[in-house]
Amino acid sequence: MFILLWAGLVLWGTLRACSSCYGLAWCCGELSGHVHLVMGWLGVVGNSQGMFILWAGLVLWGTLRACSSCYGLAWCCGELSGHNVCQLSFSLLVFFRFDFCAIDSEKRPSENLGQVLFGERIEPSPYKFEFKKKVDCKPVCTKSYNTNKPEDKAHLDFLKKGMLLNYQHHWIVDNMPVTWCYDVEDGQKFCNPGFPIGCYVTEAGRPKDACVVNSDFKDKDTFYVFNHVDITIHYHVVENEAAGARLVAAKMEPKSYKHTKVEAPDCAGGPMYLNNKFSGELKIGYTYSVQFVEDTHIRWASRWDYILESMPHTNIQWFSIMNSLVIVLFLSGMVAMIMLRTLHKDIARYNQMDSVEDAQEEFGWKLVHGDVFRPPRKGMLLSVFLGSGTQIFIMMFVTLFFACLGFLSPANRGALMTCAVVLWVLLGTPAGYVAARFYKSFGGEKWKTNVLLTCFLCPGVVFADFFVMNLILWGEGSSAAMPFGTLVAILALWFCISVPLTFIGAYFGFKKTGIEHPVRTNQIPRQIPEQSFYTRSLPGIVMGGILPFGCIFIQLFFILNSIWSHQMYYMFGFLFLVFIILVITCSEATILLCYFHLCAEDYHWQWRSFLTSGFTAVYFLVYAIHYFFSKLQITGLASTILYFGYTMIMALIFFLFTGTIGFFACFWFVTKIYSVVKVD
């Protein structure tokens, strides 16, 4: 009854969330020039062993029924060079390929390691203005095109493709994104950190994306270029400081003007349109206006609030948390019932068996006490995975903890990735220690091979994948490609810091005495009886990964959205809570299935516990493939390879992380139950 009620509540919440999905799913133009993403929202429900198959079907149904909607969003970058002379900066991956106004004389601002890894590049722009000096329709540059020239035609075609895929401008000033604020439903105002380069009206006369904001955009099969921006700078006067004033907001409104005189623009006339079948000569004049507004209500410390508060994520986040908590409570109840009732009765019954006849009638998990700690096959590989998983787990925990404290906010660009990489490099010692400790407990003697694999196997796979992706970016001419010097610096961090620290950890791990098990291992392995479908390894592994995935799938949507569409992710409190819930869910699901398998006299729990919770990464991969084929509009083989290449890196990291949690939880559980039972 509880299961049916709970499933009904979750499905009701899912349908409610889908019905209010406007503004919670997005489109974006991936600025590497190829990828157009449309993210969707998923619903999920859960159950336990007896209902696993039904529950899995409900989850897959919820996945396929995922709601999605689309409104173009993007995110921004920039720089303020002083209080008197201000300069806008762009962060466009293919800015120059669009043939916009550019400036080559100024030096690019330097980026930190996190920005370089994420592909963020800040370019100086020709949009300049002085503090408190109003500017009206100031020209920036004029671009001339002749479709009879192949080069000009290629530029126009690329511009039209960008407008068709809703590509975004990314501007910042004084480290604040230049936002486009507009009204949405229910009288709310949404501030989008970015604005489109233009929009398109279809052959049927239906305006797409930003064309809905202006009734003048009505010509069929026509593109409209946003060649003018009205910039409003909000500042706060500081009386007791020499600086005088501080910027607290930067807002803009994109407009389209077909200037009557391109050489002397007046920001008058109709919109700047470009028919899809246009041929001949065309001139596009880019202009801007600037005004300054004093704002005494916004403090400098809270100047990001108006952007973050306009993002309607809170309701869906709380639904995600409640859904995850229900799964955790359900699993906790199951585990508590096993611990307090079944296990207690089993231990009491086993310890009361005095005669030989009673001992011969043993059944359940006590029968395998002489084999439960038998070293697993491929113990070398398992110990290496455990070492790398421990390194990733500590890295993620510390990174999210600092993010919750506000050290890694969106204002500190690239800080999140920089912190994660530095922590991973410095956490080589725990990786080497854990790998060596468990490899020694598995009876391994090839300690040199173990240390080398811990140093180079998983990091090497990630680096090789990343290097191939970088080669593709180089070949495509994208500015997101990592410079050769940065690759050398990463290799230096790996070989000069991480590897020595791993060797140090492995030295202490091998030097320490092996892990003492509560029961002895028999010399002859016990034969495992034939298993039913539910107690076989593969069904248990496949079903065990569904529960953890059910806890994270909503957060996964926001995380993927921030990665692929450059959205600002700031809800680290929610993410840290989901991280804790994920750890608890992986542990409880693995313990639950481990107990069922031990009762079925199957003592091969080491690899199964790792793969059970690690299979969550497979569901993550399936989810990525699902919206790739159903939601994405991809042109070009290179973009497809890039998408799946980076997705495979994330899946591998997630596999090691969740698998390590499952193994340690099951190791603790098995050690605990066999340490309290009396064995002759």
Side-chain angles (χ1 to χ4, degrees), residues 15 25 42 48 72 126 162 179 194 221 282 365 415 452 490 493 498 501 504 515 519 546 569 581 589 606 610:
L15 295 175
L42 300 181
S48 68
T179 57
D221 196 21
L282 176 70
W365 53 269
L452 290 175
I490 291 177
L493 289 173
S498 180
L501 289 175
I504 293 173
I515 300 174
V519 291
I546 300 179
Y569 191 91
I581 292 174
Q606 291 95 337
F610 188 91

Side-chain angles (χ1 to χ4, degrees), residues 576-606:
F576 188 71
L577 185 57
V578 170
F579 173 83
I580 300 299
I581 292 174
L582 175 64
V583 172
I584 297 173
T585 308
C586 285
S587 303
E588 293 181 341
T590 309
I591 290 174
L592 201 62
L593 290 171
C594 181
Y595 174 77
F596 293 146
H597 286 99
L598 289 177
C599 288
E601 302 179 23
D602 186 354
Y603 52 83
H604 295 307
W605 61 270
Q606 291 95 337

Side-chain angles (χ1 to χ4, degrees), residues 248 297-306:
V248 292
H297 302 290
I298 304 177
R299 298 179 60 85
W300 187 84
S302 57
R303 60 180 185 162
W304 284 75
D305 290 358
Y306 81 98

Side-chain angles (χ1 to χ4, degrees), residues 443-503:
E445 297 178 354
K446 300 178 181 179
W447 63 270
K448 294 180 182 178
T449 306
N450 180 261
V451 178
L452 290 175
L453 286 176
T454 305
C455 292
F456 298 111
L457 180 60
C458 296
V461 171
V462 173
F463 182 81
D465 192 335
F466 185 78
F467 183 74
V468 171
M469 299 302 104
N470 206 52
L471 286 178
I472 295 174
L473 288 172
W474 276 339
E476 291 293 310
S478 173
S479 63
M482 183 181 296
F484 180 76
T486 307
L487 282 176
V488 173
I490 291 177
L491 286 174
L493 289 173
W494 181 13
F495 283 92
C496 299
I497 299 178
S498 180
V499 171
L501 289 175
T502 306
F503 270 86

Side-chain angles (χ1 to χ4, degrees), residues 405-662:
L405 297 179
F407 294 114
L408 307 177
S409 67
N412 301 325
R413 305 185 188 281
L416 184 71
M417 193 65 178
T418 303
C419 177
V421 172
V422 171
L423 283 172
W424 178 84
V425 170
L426 297 178
L427 288 170
T429 302
Y433 179 83
V434 170
R437 193 99 164 83
F438 276 95
Y439 181 64
K440 186 176 181 179
S441 71
F442 294 156
E445 297 178 354
K446 300 178 181 179
W447 63 270
K448 294 180 182 178
T449 306
N450 180 261
V451 178
L452 290 175
L453 286 176
T454 305
C455 292
F456 298 111
L457 180 60
C458 296
V461 171
V462 173
F463 182 81
D465 192 335
F466 185 78
F467 183 74
V468 171
M469 299 302 104
N470 206 52
L471 286 178
I472 295 174
L473 288 172
W474 276 339
E476 291 293 310
S478 173
S479 63
M482 183 181 296
F484 180 76
T486 307
L487 282 176
V488 173
I490 291 177
L491 286 174
L493 289 173
W494 181 13
F495 283 92
C496 299
I497 299 178
S498 180
V499 171
L501 289 175
T502 306
F503 270 86
I504 293 173
Y507 169 77
F508 286 104
F510 279 112
K511 187 177 180 181
K512 195 162 182 164
T513 57
I515 300 174
E516 295 185 2
H517 301 307
V519 291
R520 294 190 303 270
T521 301
N522 296 334
Q523 293 183 354
I524 301 175
R526 179 185 178 85
Q527 185 177 0
I528 300 175
E530 186 177 352
Q531 302 292 308
S532 64
F533 176 78
Y534 291 103
T535 56
R536 290 176 184 170
S537 295
L538 185 59
I541 291 171
V542 172
M543 293 184 292
I546 300 179
L547 285 169
F549 180 76
C551 295
I552 63 159
F553 72 95
I554 296 179
Q555 285 293 330
L556 184 62
F557 160 71
F558 291 108
I559 293 171
L560 290 178
N561 194 59
S562 67
I563 293 173
W564 294 113
S565 57
H566 294 270
Q567 295 295 325
M568 282 183 293
Y569 191 91
Y570 64 95
M571 297 166 291
F572 294 108
F574 283 113
L575 185 60
F576 188 71
L577 185 57
V578 170
F579 173 83
I580 300 299
I581 292 174
L582 175 64
V583 172
I584 297 173
T585 308
C586 285
S587 303
E588 293 181 341
T590 309
I591 290 174
L592 201 62
L593 290 171
C594 181
Y595 174 77
F596 293 146
H597 286 99
L598 289 177
C599 288
E601 302 179 23
D602 186 354
Y603 52 83
H604 295 307
W605 61 270
Q606 291 95 337
W607 269 111
R608 188 169 53 238
S609 64
F610 188 91
L611 295 174
T612 297
S613 55
F615 205 81
T616 309
V618 177
Y619 288 105
F620 163 74
L621 194 60
V622 170
Y623 171 57
I625 295 172
H626 165 71
Y627 75 72
F628 174 82
F629 285 106
S630 62
K631 308 296 181 183
L632 307 188
Q633 299 177 17
I634 298 274
T635 57
L637 179 63
S639 294
T640 304
I641 297 174
L642 284 171
Y643 175 81
F644 282 105
Y646 287 124
T647 301
M648 290 302 296
I649 292 177
M650 292 186 287
L652 175 61
I653 292 174
F654 197 63
F655 170 73
L656 295 172
F657 163 66
T658 53
T660 302
I661 295 171

